[in-house]
Amino acid sequence: MEIGILGITHTAAALAAIPLGAAVLMRRKGDGLHRRLGQLFVVLMVYTNVSSFGITRLFGGFGIFHALALVSLASILAGFFAVRLR
């Protein structure tokens, strides 16, 4: 089974986002490192969610993970815009 560059970068972004998200939650809200880590987390999560739509071999098309990616993407973007527009 060939994974491909999309699958590799998708997985790498998701695996990097997990500890980054934890680090953001552990930092004091609003300090510089909290903000930078949060921005990187958002970029990684948006890439993870968007790239998931190019991975169709598992279900042969749109599957449950794509639906969950839409929910995740909506959540990430809602949080991003809530912070940016406050």
Side-chain angles (χ1 to χ4, degrees), residues 3 8 10-11 14-15 42 46 52 55-56 61 64 73 79 85-86:
I3 296 173
I8 292 169
H10 169 83
T11 303
L15 290 174
V42 168
V46 168
S52 74
I55 302 172
T56 58
I64 185 67
L73 185 60
L85 299 176
R86 62 183 159 115

Side-chain angles (χ1 to χ4, degrees), residues 14-64:
L15 290 174
I18 293 168
L20 257 177
V24 169
L25 290 173
M26 288 188 280
R27 298 287 308 172
R28 189 170 63 82
K29 184 178 175 182
D31 76 0
L33 185 56
H34 172 87
R35 265 186 248 132
R36 287 190 297 278
L37 292 175
Q39 290 166 349
L40 182 55
F41 174 76
V42 168
V43 168
L44 289 171
M45 285 303 297
V46 168
Y47 178 79
T48 299
N49 287 298
V50 171
S51 67
S52 74
F53 301 116
I55 302 172
T56 58
R57 292 180 82 183
L58 188 60
F59 295 104
F62 192 86
I64 185 67

